[in-house]
Amino acid sequence: KVSGVALDMKPSSHPLYAHAKVSTTPHIGANTTEAQERISTKLASQLHHALTRSKFDNVLNAPNLDLLSQSARPPYYVLAEKLGSLHAQLLGPQQRIVKITIVAQGKDDKRQLLQAACRGLLRHLVESEVICDDVVSVLHARGINLVEHTQEDVDSSSSYSNLVQVTCHLDDGTSRALTGTVLMKSQLRLVQYDALRLDALLSGCMVFFSNDDRPG
């Protein structure tokens, strides 16, 4: 049996608070000399790690990519961000995105990849820099829904073991899918545009054009 409970929480009207064997404090458990010393030491340590570009604990927008240089970011995160950026640059003047979906074959961190793709997209849609924590709220405010696919295969006939596919659904009922992969640990490749298979480096300047090839 439990003989008593001590809770350090904000005041509540819950009946538990009126129980004779429950002792409560209004969320001030850290208001001691020892606790404040530990908090100060931890904050100083985390600031040092952040400024020296090393890892640190308790990051809310994990992985802590905003404080890392581009070269230090996980390659599939950079790939997803570039796919999102490319989507934004391919938008027509009157087109508007209403939904973004992502499928990551062989990758477990779909949520982080989706955030990366959205961040790349927003770099061309908003003037200010957007951090990882803000992308979902910013996109929702613009009427754009986000979807993470749970299926594991992007294309069952693909010869690549790891793929990231970002699809933008537009307000005119059409959609555009960009699929990429990472070769040799750092080489970002665009391997599919909708149903068209290709192999292009995702770097430098790229020119996209369509051609309706008809005889004569």
Side-chain angles (χ1 to χ4, degrees), residues 38-39 42 100 106 185:
R38 288 196 298 270
I39 291 172
K42 186 65 175 178
I100 300 172
K185 297 184 179 181

Side-chain angles (χ1 to χ4, degrees), residues 110-122:
K110 295 182 181 66
R111 185 62 179 175
Q112 294 166 10
L113 293 174
L114 180 61
Q115 287 184 329
C118 294
R119 188 180 180 195
L121 179 79
L122 284 173

